[in-house]
Amino acid sequence: MHKNNKNRAFLKWAGGKYSLLEHILPHLPHSPKLIEPFFGAGSVALNAEYENYQLNDINKDLVNLYKLIQGSSQAFIEELAPLFTKETNDSDFYYERREEFNSSDDKFRRALLFVYLNRHGYNGLCRYNRKGGFNVPFGRYVKPKMPDAEIRNFAARFQKAEFTNLDYVDVIKKAPDNSVIYCDPPYIPISKTASFTQYATNGFSLEAQENLANTVKEAVASRPITVVISNHDTPLSRKLYQGAKFKSFSARRFISQNAQNRKPVKELVAIFCNKNM
């Protein structure tokens, strides 16, 4: 299940797992199917070897993009190329494209613009306002990379994958026997300034964290599946995932903007396994 050369996602993604793969992949057992209820940019599935994949995300733009690439990656790359030039790496052009994205109903055009905005926007963020408008500011990078090789690799690897846009509870409850589920939900805040009030704007409150933990425990208790969850290593996450096997490690991410206050973040991998597997 391990590879010497890691596959990179073609999207930049806050909270992406590319740098943490060595801590996650060893805990994903062999199985006919890998299911990801919180797929994001997909670094884990891109580097885990399974016959079948169900890759789910609540973000409709993301799922639409993946389905289009799965069907015709070369045509997509050809149409994307004009958005990756010296002239397009410009704040006025960026904000015009962002406005176009927010007003467009064309699935193909929205998918192209989603990749452009992702690679040219600030810090790989994917954020919408309350009206559903994408509102990430211009990133000011020297030369954003056109991810054509990564898109081709993604399309080839997931040619037969099932991409879904469902609630995570439905995905977990309907998972077939003997499947492996990897959950990478929005993380529990660990800084004193972060709160679940702010956090809930991403649609994932404390109640949602508890619901995820309870849904996983019920699923594992009732049938032969394995569920692996990533989160910050906090007293709350250990309490929520009680009964799981824990693996803790330091991540190379930092939570403070003040360099003097920067400390490595502790990550937790919780492994729930049905005893019959």
Side-chain angles (χ1 to χ4, degrees):
M1 199 167 291
H2 297 282
K3 287 191 154 195
N4 293 326
N5 299 316
K6 295 194 290 187
N7 296 312
R8 278 195 179 275
F10 69 87
L11 295 173
K12 296 170 71 173
W13 208 252
K17 293 296 178 286
Y18 183 80
S19 64
L20 307 179
L21 290 171
E22 72 236 47
H23 300 288
I24 297 169
L25 293 181
H27 304 299
L28 300 178
H30 288 287
S31 154
K33 188 171 192 175
L34 175 67
I35 299 171
E36 287 205 39
F38 307 89
F39 184 57
S43 288
V44 170
L46 276 166
N47 291 278
E49 300 292 343
Y50 288 86
E51 294 171 37
N52 301 291
Y53 301 89
Q54 181 187 353
L55 309 172
N56 181 82
D57 202 276
I58 199 66
N59 185 319
K60 289 181 180 179
D61 288 315
L62 200 58
V63 176
N64 170 57
L65 166 64
Y66 291 153
K67 285 181 175 179
L68 285 171
I69 285 172
Q70 184 185 40
S72 183
S73 61
Q74 189 54 41
F76 188 87
I77 289 166
E78 288 171 8
E79 293 288 335
L80 184 65
L83 289 170
F84 282 79
T85 68
K86 185 179 179 181
E87 291 72 31
T88 63
N89 188 26
D90 169 82
S91 62
D92 288 342
F93 185 89
Y94 176 88
Y95 289 115
E96 287 170 8
R97 297 292 78 70
R98 193 178 77 175
E99 192 175 329
E100 181 190 352
F101 174 83
N102 287 332
S103 62
S104 176
D105 293 324
D106 184 301
K107 287 187 175 182
F108 192 83
R109 183 62 180 169
R110 277 182 73 88
L112 292 171
L113 291 172
F114 188 90
V115 179
Y116 166 78
L117 294 170
N118 172 266
R119 303 292 300 200
H120 292 76
Y122 181 74
N123 218 22
L125 294 175
C126 183
R127 191 182 64 198
Y128 300 80
N129 60 28
R130 289 184 181 181
K131 293 182 179 178
F134 188 87
N135 65 356
V136 176
F138 183 56
R140 303 192 180 281
Y141 297 106
V142 176
K143 189 179 181 183
K145 180 182 182 295
M146 163 78 174
D148 48 331
E150 291 86 350
I151 290 173
R152 286 190 187 92
N153 180 56
F154 185 99
R157 171 171 279 267
F158 298 134
Q159 197 61 54
K160 296 179 181 178
E162 179 188 9
F163 290 103
T164 53
N165 176 225
L166 304 167
D167 184 86
Y168 68 90
V169 173
D170 293 334
V171 175
I172 294 167
K173 284 185 173 180
K174 293 175 183 175
D177 288 0
N178 303 312
S179 54
V180 173
I181 304 174
Y182 172 65
C183 294
D184 184 25
Y187 274 18
I188 291 169
I190 54 174
S191 68
K192 290 177 182 176
T193 57
S195 71
F196 272 109
T197 307
Q198 294 171 298
Y199 208 50
T201 57
N202 289 335
F204 222 78
S205 61
L206 173 56
E207 186 179 7
Q209 296 282 357
E210 292 172 340
N211 192 34
L212 170 61
N214 291 334
T215 302
V216 166
K217 289 176 186 178
E218 288 169 13
V220 172
S222 65
R223 60 195 195 280
I225 57 173
T226 297
V227 182
V228 178
I229 309 179
S230 290
N231 215 314
H232 282 138
D233 189 351
T234 68
L236 176 57
S237 48
R238 286 179 175 260
K239 181 182 177 183
L240 288 175
Y241 305 148
Q242 198 169 0
K245 178 182 174 185
F246 293 138
K247 294 290 180 180
S248 184
F249 57 93
S250 291
R252 288 174 290 182
R253 290 184 296 103
F254 300 94
I255 58 167
S256 176
Q257 290 183 321
N258 185 333
Q260 292 180 330
N261 295 332
R262 287 185 178 180
K263 296 177 182 178
V265 175
K266 293 289 283 184
E267 292 258 348
L268 187 70
V269 174
I271 304 117
F272 291 89
C273 186
N274 186 295
K275 304 290 189 246
N276 298 321
M277 277 191 80

